[in-house]
Amino acid sequence: MLSNIVPLTIIKGAGSEFIPLPQGENATTADFHSIRTKTTDSPTHLTSGFYKIIAGPQRPASYTFEETKYVLSGQVDVLDEATGITHHLVPGDFAFFHVGSKVKFSTKSEGLAFYAVTRPVRTPHPNLQGREEETKSKL
């Protein structure tokens, strides 16, 4: 048996949790897991979670890290300030935000996306604490 095999991390029910919107905000992120990568060149964090937005003011974002968003439901509009183009992302669309990207998020209805970012956890999802499975169990 190989001793350098690392067990998976499983978080039960992460995708079905309600993601609360803070009062007075029309967009929120909810990080649900973060790890420190083990690459030897430049270790970084990899954090994933959900982004939810409802109609309201545009939400600006300037990127000092990389991010990917995959739209699960609704529509997420992204104004790319480098080009002036607004991208209307719908379920199945994927966007990559580079270090140095500057955007404004909005929607006319609501949208939900899964994201992965190269930064540590910022906003832990309040309902996922203690949900990681034990790694001792064997099938």
Side-chain angles (χ1 to χ4, degrees), residues 6-7 31 51-52 54 56 74 78 88 90 104 118 120 126 132 138:
V6 178
D31 295 344
Y51 176 79
K52 185 174 183 179
I54 59 173
V78 183
H88 305 286
V90 296
K104 291 181 180 173
T118 56
E132 289 187 13
K138 304 273 185 197

Side-chain angles (χ1 to χ4, degrees), residues 14-66:
S16 62
E17 292 291 334
F18 173 71
I19 302 168
L21 290 173
Q23 289 291 329
E25 300 274 335
N26 67 308
T28 188
T29 59
D31 295 344
F32 67 81
H33 188 64
S34 185
I35 59 168
R36 180 100 173 137
T37 63
K38 296 185 182 205
T39 60
T40 55
D41 296 349
S42 57
T44 188
H45 282 86
L46 177 62
T47 301
S48 57
F50 292 104
Y51 176 79
K52 185 174 183 179
I53 187 167
I54 59 173
Q58 289 184 324
R59 309 300 293 186
S62 296
Y63 284 86
T64 57
F65 50 85
E66 289 141 333

Side-chain angles (χ1 to χ4, degrees), residues 51 53 56-59 75-78 104-108:
Y51 176 79
I53 187 167
Q58 289 184 324
R59 309 300 293 186
Q75 181 172 317
V76 178
D77 298 330
V78 183
K104 291 181 180 173
F105 293 101
S106 65
T107 187
K108 291 183 179 173

